């Protein structure tokens, strides 16, 4: 969680219409409706978030990045966010094998979140997750051979 | 090649809060009242916390009762949390939220001060707290009184669960805040001496303890000055548990013995084995 938040850049994010996409497909991990976690299947279930914070938390990092790039563009010109976004794209590609979680150290350093601790480091740490994808199938899926 | 219907392709989830069970909880919540049960209540600290700025620094005070609905869950819990060597924070509201929030901010402040090489400022802690609480739109129920002494002098902030903050010379929070504020409004004056400030905070917390059901037990104080912190726990045991006035045990010989039979049990040793314990 970056604590040096860009709170004055919010005004650049005002838009008239917000695109609404389906939140989650009704199918769970086994291909059928996961009634225990998501409730009975209905159109309303798919469109409305299960918690008011769900949408904002899912897009939090994205919105922060957008705001920062906008501010940077207003201050320094178009080249600054372009160069930074190129670096972000390069850093985002430094991953481990497809079934292993990566620490994203380069990306964190670029964002400045490498010396902050937030809820994403304490709760639901992907390193400690109980399920893992099947290594062979995930590699084939990533390479497009599947 | 057939694709097996198992968890074969796992998407990577970044961690943090998971909202998977919210819909299930909402459904259960709706049905459970029909069956006559009630869902478990979070442990709150229904509290009196307060702080005052005096001549050389800041005095923070808190009661020590934690409630879970109508039951006292903890008679002597510690509500004054450490943030940094010169900054302490009292927390009211949901106990887990205040605990985790103050710990996260404490860690972040430590990393920040290592990175800047300076003693952290109270305004930094305040800004970190308010940005985090606003991000979660009040769902993290933590009402905090943040106080400390830094290079610019003593500072005192009150932070509300939705993320608004106030910088004031005296603040109170929690369910007993009105009782404590009444004492403050009556007797506060700027630039008090240390003993007078400690007495004022002690009396304000005592007012909360005796007039509010959500606060009780002892009074904790934390006196922060430039270079020194006095964590007085407990400063004052306002509610002593009663002592039994008499002994209700029966004397030996109250019950008369009518008959006495002794039956020896003949046991023989069948097998003896020694198992060494690893005490390393």
């Amino acid at each position: 969680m970056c604590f040096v938040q860009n709170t004055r850049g919010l005004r650049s994010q005002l838009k008239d219409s917000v695109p609404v996409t389906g939140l989650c497909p009704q199918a769970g991990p086994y291909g059928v409706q996961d009634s225990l976690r998501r409730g009975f299947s209905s159109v309303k279930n798919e469109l409305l978030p299960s918690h008011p914070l769900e949408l904002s938390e899912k897009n939090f990092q994205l919105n922060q990045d957008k705001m920062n790039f906008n501010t940077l563009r207003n201050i320094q010109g178009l080249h600054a966010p372009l160069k930074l976004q190129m670096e972000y794209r390069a850093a985002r590609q430094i991953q481990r094998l497809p079934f292993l979680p990566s620490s994203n150290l380069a990306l964190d350093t670029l964002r400045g979140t490498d010396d902050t601790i937030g809820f994403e480091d304490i709760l639901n740490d992907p390193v400690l997750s109980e399920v893992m994808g099947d290594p062979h199938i995930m590699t084939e899926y990533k390479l497009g051979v599947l | 090649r057939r694709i097996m219907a198992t968890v074969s392709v796992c998407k990577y989830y970044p961690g943090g809060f998971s909202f998977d069970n919210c819909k299930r909880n909402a459904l259960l919540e709706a049905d459970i009242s029909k069956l006559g049960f009630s869902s478990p209540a979070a442990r709150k600290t229904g509290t009196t916390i307060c702080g005052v700025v005096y001549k050389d620094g800041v005095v923070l005070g808190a009661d020590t009762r934690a409630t879970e609905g109508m039951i006292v869950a903890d008679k002597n819990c510690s509500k004054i949390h450490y943030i940094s060597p010169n900054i302490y924070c009292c927390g009211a509201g949901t106990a887990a939220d205040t605990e985790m929030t103050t710990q996260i901010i404490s860690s972040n402040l430590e990393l920040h001060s290592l990175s800047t090489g300076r003693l952290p400022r109270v305004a930094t802690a305040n800004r970190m707290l308010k940005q985090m609480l606003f991000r979660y739109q009040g769902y993290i129920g933590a009402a905090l009184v943040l106080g400390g002494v830094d290079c610019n002098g003593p500072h005192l902030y009150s932070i509300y669960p939705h993320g608004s903050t106030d910088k004031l010379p005296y603040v109170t929070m929690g369910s007993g805040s009105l009782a404590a504020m009444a004492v403050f409004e009556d007797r506060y004056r700027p630039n008090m001496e240390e003993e007078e400030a400690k007495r004022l905070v002690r009396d304000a917390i005592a007012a909360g303890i005796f007039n509010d059901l959500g606060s009780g037990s002892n009074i904790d104080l934390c006196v922060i000055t430039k270079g020194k912190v006095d964590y007085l726990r407990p400063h004052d045991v306002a509610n002593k548990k009663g002592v039994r006035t008499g002994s209700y045990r029966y004397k030996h010989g109250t019950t008369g013995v009518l008959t006495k039979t002794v039956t020896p049990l003949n046991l023989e040793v069948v097998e003896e084995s020694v198992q060494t314990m690893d005490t390393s």
Side-chain angles (χ1 to χ4, degrees):
Chain A
M1 202 163 20
C2 183
F3 280 108
V4 189
Q5 278 179 23
N6 184 0
T7 41
R8 293 228 188 102
L10 267 172
R11 206 178 276 182
S12 61
Q13 294 299 304
L14 284 177
K15 286 190 172 55
D16 285 329
S17 67
V18 182
V20 178
T21 52
L23 260 172
C24 53
Q26 295 290 330
Y30 296 97
V32 287
Q33 167 69 4
D34 194 357
S35 302
L36 190 64
R37 287 216 194 90
R38 301 194 211 289
F40 299 116
S41 57
S42 70
V43 177
K44 188 175 86 157
N45 252 359
E46 198 173 318
L47 284 180
L48 290 179
S50 45
H51 193 274
L53 283 179
E54 185 174 355
L55 272 177
S56 108
E57 277 301 295
K58 202 161 69 151
N59 300 327
F60 185 75
Q61 198 54 58
L62 243 97
N63 285 334
Q64 283 294 110
D65 286 345
K66 254 196 271 187
M67 232 158 44
N68 289 335
F69 285 140
N70 258 317
T71 320
L72 204 55
R73 177 189 181 161
N74 291 334
I75 297 175
Q76 292 188 12
L78 187 57
H79 72 98
L82 279 182
K83 282 196 184 137
L84 267 184
Q85 271 176 328
M86 188 184 74
E87 289 180 28
Y88 274 51
R89 194 170 282 213
R92 209 171 287 140
Q93 288 176 350
I94 306 171
Q95 296 281 318
R96 294 177 147 214
L97 290 171
F99 49 91
L100 292 173
S102 162
S103 65
N104 288 321
L105 186 59
L107 197 58
D108 272 350
T109 313
L110 274 179
R111 280 207 186 106
T113 55
D114 60 338
D115 57 357
T116 53
I117 296 178
F119 285 116
E120 57 270 5
D121 301 308
I122 301 171
L123 303 172
N124 277 333
D125 197 355
V127 172
L128 304 169
S129 100
E130 293 149 352
V131 289
M132 184 179 92
D134 182 18
H136 297 288
I137 300 201
M138 286 198 72
T139 332
E140 290 175 16
Y141 180 77
K142 171 113 188 289
L143 293 173
V145 178
L146 196 65
Chain B
R1 175 128 165 218
R2 246 168 39 102
I3 303 171
M4 295 185 288
T6 52
V7 192
S8 32
V9 177
C10 232
K11 224 178 69 174
Y12 166 69
Y13 289 105
F17 287 109
S18 155
F19 299 101
D20 282 343
N21 287 332
C22 288
K23 287 210 174 87
R24 176 204 74 169
N25 289 348
L27 278 173
L28 284 176
E29 198 84 26
D31 288 337
I32 216 169
S33 48
K34 284 190 221 140
L35 293 169
F37 300 111
S38 61
S39 49
R43 179 187 291 202
K44 303 185 79 86
T45 53
T47 291
T48 311
I49 50 175
C50 66
V52 95
V53 173
Y54 73 102
K55 195 173 78 173
D56 306 319
V58 163
V59 179
L60 299 173
D63 72 308
T64 58
R65 174 183 288 183
T67 52
E68 209 168 288
M70 284 286 119
I71 301 175
V72 174
D74 192 346
K75 290 190 278 277
N76 198 0
C77 77
S78 153
K79 297 186 193 178
I80 307 187
H81 309 283
Y82 165 89
I83 302 265
S84 83
N86 58 329
I87 305 175
Y88 277 73
C89 181
C90 310
T94 313
D97 289 347
T98 58
E99 190 70 42
M100 292 262 72
T101 308
T102 46
Q103 282 177 351
I104 289 182
I105 298 301
S106 167
S107 307
N108 277 310
L109 255 193
E110 174 75 18
L111 289 170
H112 188 254
S113 91
L114 283 170
S115 164
T116 56
R118 300 186 172 110
L119 203 59
R121 300 191 190 186
V122 190
T124 318
N126 176 53
R127 185 140 295 217
M128 286 183 175
L129 281 165
K130 84 185 326 192
Q131 283 181 349
M132 169 153 90
L133 291 175
F134 182 73
R135 172 179 169 179
Y136 292 104
Q137 293 289 299
Y139 282 96
I140 293 188
L144 309 165
V145 165
L146 177 74
V149 178
D150 57 22
C151 55
N152 290 337
H155 304 277
L156 186 65
Y157 293 88
S158 69
I159 303 164
Y160 291 82
H162 282 263
S164 64
T165 60
D166 287 310
K167 183 174 194 313
L168 293 165
Y170 56 96
V171 290
T172 64
M173 295 287 254
S175 56
S177 62
L178 291 173
M181 186 51 92
V183 175
F184 273 166
E185 288 286 356
D186 186 30
R187 286 159 45 184
Y188 171 80
R189 33 177 211 88
N191 286 330
M192 286 182 284
E193 294 301 326
E194 176 170 335
E195 279 314 310
E196 191 189 343
K198 277 161 73 170
R199 240 190 334 239
L200 179 62
V201 171
R202 186 246 158 237
D203 288 343
I205 301 288
I209 286 177
F210 289 118
N211 296 303
D212 174 46
L213 286 179
S215 323
S217 300
N218 315 324
I219 300 171
D220 288 349
L221 277 193
C222 185
V223 184
I224 311 173
T225 47
K226 196 173 183 65
K228 189 164 81 88
V229 171
D230 271 332
Y231 194 100
L232 305 158
R233 178 176 154 80
H235 170 68
D236 194 342
V237 184
N239 293 310
K240 281 199 187 51
K241 216 172 155 181
V243 181
R244 283 207 193 97
T245 48
S247 168
Y248 300 99
R249 291 175 150 271
Y250 290 106
K251 285 198 288 287
H252 276 297
T254 310
T255 318
V257 178
L258 295 178
T259 51
K260 190 164 149 181
T261 348
V262 177
T263 321
L265 277 172
N266 292 321
L267 299 168
E268 37 181 272
V269 180
V270 174
E271 195 208 322
E272 192 176 308
S273 67
V274 176
Q275 209 172 36
T276 48
M277 196 163 58
D278 186 3
T279 51
S280 57

